[in-house]
Amino acid sequence: MQGRHARFKSTPSIPAARTASASSGAKHARLGGFTTRLRQRLRAYTAVEFCSTHIPGTSGPGEECLLLVDGRQVVGQVRYQFCPTCAYGVITALSIHKPFRDTGLDTRALSHLRSRHPGTTWRSTVRTGTEDDLMLSMRIPVLPSAPPCPHAPALA
């Protein structure tokens, strides 16, 4: 304890604790911090279920939808067209609610589609900035429009 004798009695040796109204706050109380992002990612991987549905009004190979459900709430969806005869699929829309955007849920949903329809060649017509990066990382080519499938019913 060298140097302790040189301190004045009015100067505390331990700095004063910060109050709750301090601007920086505790590390674990930060909004959007590492812990919050980790909890969201764990929730996206454990609580979100996939429900596939055929969109009514189409017969044969047509528009399908993969719903991403958290409890009773739909937190995202992937719309796609799939033809089992051609083994060809086109992702036409991808939307995920804001709290789940940076959790990897979009990658998990596209991986689920690939595992659900093995041997299918996937393409995409989704044209926004973040989805372009996703499609590039998943090696799904982005097309300007979906090519017509010869097995799709002719629209009058």
Side-chain angles (χ1 to χ4, degrees):
M1 292 237 248
Q2 277 183 322
R4 190 156 175 90
H5 65 279
R7 295 190 182 144
F8 293 105
K9 292 238 181 217
S10 62
T11 306
S13 61
I14 300 173
R18 294 184 181 194
T19 60
S21 63
S23 62
S24 65
K27 196 176 199 179
H28 64 276
R30 281 188 228 153
L31 293 176
F34 176 74
T35 308
T36 304
R37 290 190 310 268
L38 183 63
R39 281 189 191 130
Q40 278 297 104
R41 186 173 285 258
L42 286 172
R43 184 173 165 201
Y45 273 80
T46 57
V48 175
E49 296 178 14
F50 299 117
C51 300
S52 185
T53 180
H54 183 76
I55 296 177
T58 59
S59 60
E63 191 82 14
E64 307 249 349
C65 186
L66 179 69
L67 296 175
L68 313 174
V69 182
D70 179 28
R72 292 183 175 179
Q73 181 181 10
V74 175
V75 296
Q77 65 178 346
V78 180
R79 289 185 176 253
Y80 63 98
Q81 295 173 346
F82 172 70
C83 179
T85 308
C86 299
Y88 186 78
V90 178
I91 299 167
T92 56
L94 173 67
S95 65
I96 295 181
H97 291 212
K98 191 169 184 164
F100 291 93
R101 284 206 183 130
D102 294 327
T103 60
L105 188 58
D106 47 3
T107 306
R108 185 174 167 225
L110 294 181
S111 297
H112 179 79
L113 275 181
R114 281 187 168 164
S115 68
R116 188 178 179 95
H117 305 288
T120 302
T121 304
W122 288 99
R123 305 277 190 257
S124 173
T125 59
V126 178
R127 299 296 295 169
T128 59
T130 56
E131 279 80 11
D132 283 346
D133 293 341
L134 172 66
M135 297 303 168
L136 183 65
S137 68
M138 295 288 294
R139 297 182 181 198
I140 298 175
V142 179
L143 304 173
S145 64
C149 174
H151 303 105
L155 299 174

